[in-house]
Amino acid sequence: MKRFLVLFVPFVLASSIGGAPAWSAETETVFKFYCAQCHGLGGKGDGPNVTKDFPVTPRDFTSAKEMDKLSDADMKNVILDGGPAVSKSPLMPPWGKTLTSEQVDGLIKHLRKLCKCKGKQG
Amino acid sequence: MKSILKAALSTAFLIAAASSSSAEPAAGKAVFEAKGCAQCHYTDGPAREKTIDDQLAKKGPELWYAGSKFQKGWLAGWLADPKPIRPLKFNSLDEENADDHPKLAGDDAANVTDFLMSLTVDAVEAGVIKPKRNVKGKQIFIKKMPCSGCHQASGRKGKISGGRSGPSLVGAGERLNPDWIYAYLKNPTVFKPVKAMPTFAGILKDKDIKNVATYVSNFKAKKK
């Protein structure tokens, strides 16, 4: 049993942290399917829903300045429960009943890649 | 033995029911296939999509529950003279709807309407939603929830505003069955297991899902 664990654990770590290419391709698909509607295919906050009627600008994920204000936990919060959960606009939808927790974790990593920033720690 | 008899009886009943409601659904099905509609639309449920890639591979919306989703009068008119429903091209975020949906001539449109209206599902309970003004539903649609961020609707003086990634809901009260709107919001995965719209069941209370369905089912194309 112990030997099995020893063999198994490094494998899990390698496949989740080591950035298996299949996984990030999947996350990119998830981002483009759900989030790009407002945040834009490149994440700049310029999706097709953002017309002159759209009252707030969806976060530009490529802005390290804005994105550095958020910790990973803040991001998870707003993705699961929507804008109002963090006193932001209700136009940011709650995705908690739509996405799996693996998809949400993947998206957070994807947003960090887009902003090239680490975010608020803790 | 009893159950065989029951089955035989109900089969006889089904055949009788199908033939008594005239032959149009069968004629319409033949037109649907002959005109190539089936290349872009599937008409046999349940839902097939399991992944985002499955959804993106589709060339048109699924029609297997069309009889529960649409209003007959709207469908007959639209098949003969289709106008864009989705502002953007189906499954695209960066191309406009080209307004090039195949048209059907008079008789064909009527027969295909009968065929599509015969595709009903039990998941839509009849008589739950009565279209009318609904202040709570309006607040949810415009203020509390992001509906207007992805859907167009007509507001004061018929001015159309709203997002462009979802189907336009202008005139939704003339196009969609009110009870389908509720069933879809309440139990979306039966109809669309993979969809770019967030699931609101479990986020909105049942009462509020009814409120917003009531509000949307009252959307008119033109102010009367």
Side-chain angles (χ1 to χ4, degrees), chain B residues 29-144:
Chain B
K29 186 166 201 249
V31 175
F32 192 87
E33 268 145 30
K35 298 280 177 186
C37 313
Q39 284 167 21
C40 299
H41 300 287
Y42 73 97
T43 50
D44 49 335
R48 293 178 188 169
E49 308 82 11
K50 293 202 167 56
T51 63
I52 293 174
D53 287 336
D54 293 344
Q55 169 65 19
L56 294 178
K58 284 158 63 188
K59 293 188 195 143
E62 67 288 349
L63 293 175
W64 58 271
Y65 49 85
S68 295
K69 175 174 178 179
F70 297 114
Q71 296 192 23
K72 189 172 179 181
W74 173 85
L75 185 58
W78 191 85
L79 291 175
D81 186 17
K83 296 273 185 315
I85 300 166
R86 292 152 187 78
L88 300 174
K89 185 179 165 187
F90 186 70
N91 271 335
S92 166
L93 290 180
D94 53 9
E95 280 177 73
E96 296 294 307
N97 186 326
D99 191 6
D100 59 356
H101 194 273
K103 260 190 196 71
L104 288 174
D107 276 2
D108 283 350
N111 286 336
V112 170
T113 299
D114 283 341
F115 164 54
L116 292 177
M117 290 309 292
S118 75
L119 305 176
T120 57
V121 291
D122 291 343
V124 179
E125 196 189 327
V128 180
I129 301 297
K130 306 261 182 290
K132 54 174 176 281
R133 292 174 58 189
N134 186 301
V135 178
K136 283 213 175 106
K138 181 175 183 174
Q139 276 175 345
I140 292 167
F141 193 88
I142 293 176
K143 281 216 182 101
K144 292 199 181 138

Side-chain angles (χ1 to χ4, degrees), chain A residues 26 29-30 32-34 36-38 41 47-54 80 84 90-98 103, chain B residues 52-53 55-56 88 93-94 143-146 148-150 159 161-165 194-203:
Chain A
E26 144 89 10
T29 306
V30 169
K32 289 189 168 160
F33 189 67
Y34 297 103
Q37 298 176 82
C38 295
L41 290 165
N49 285 329
V50 187
T51 63
K52 61 180 176 9
D53 301 329
F54 208 86
L80 291 177
L91 286 169
M92 168 60 197
W95 295 98
K97 303 283 176 199
T98 312
Q103 287 174 324
Chain B
I52 293 174
D53 287 336
Q55 169 65 19
L56 294 178
L88 300 174
L93 290 180
D94 53 9
K143 281 216 182 101
K144 292 199 181 138
M145 287 290 152
S148 67
C150 300
K159 183 185 176 286
S161 64
R164 310 180 80 235
S165 68
V194 185
K195 49 172 184 32
M197 169 162 154
T199 294
F200 291 97
I203 290 172

Side-chain angles (χ1 to χ4, degrees), chain A residues 10-93:
Chain A
F11 171 74
V12 170
L13 285 178
S15 63
S16 59
I17 299 171
W23 170 247
S24 49
E26 144 89 10
T27 297
E28 174 123 17
T29 306
V30 169
F31 179 83
K32 289 189 168 160
F33 189 67
Y34 297 103
C35 317
Q37 298 176 82
C38 295
H39 291 279
L41 290 165
K44 290 182 181 297
D46 58 355
N49 285 329
V50 187
T51 63
K52 61 180 176 9
D53 301 329
F54 208 86
V56 284
T57 314
R59 185 69 60 249
D60 175 355
F61 295 141
T62 64
S63 159
K65 186 167 161 271
E66 286 300 322
M67 294 301 285
D68 249 340
K69 294 180 190 161
L70 303 172
S71 68
D72 286 4
D74 294 335
M75 284 208 238
K76 188 165 194 156
N77 218 353
V78 71
I79 295 171
L80 291 177
D81 295 332
V86 295
S87 313
K88 296 272 163 71
S89 166
L91 286 169
M92 168 60 197

Side-chain angles (χ1 to χ4, degrees), chain B residues 172-210:
Chain B
E174 283 146 17
R175 184 166 65 89
L176 302 173
N177 170 8
D179 293 317
W180 178 81
I181 299 176
Y182 170 65
Y184 166 64
L185 291 171
K186 180 83 185 158
N187 210 350
T189 50
V190 172
F191 306 98
K192 299 177 180 294
V194 185
K195 49 172 184 32
M197 169 162 154
T199 294
F200 291 97
I203 290 172
L204 285 169
K205 293 191 202 100
D206 183 54
K207 216 172 53 190
D208 284 331
I209 295 182
K210 286 193 172 120

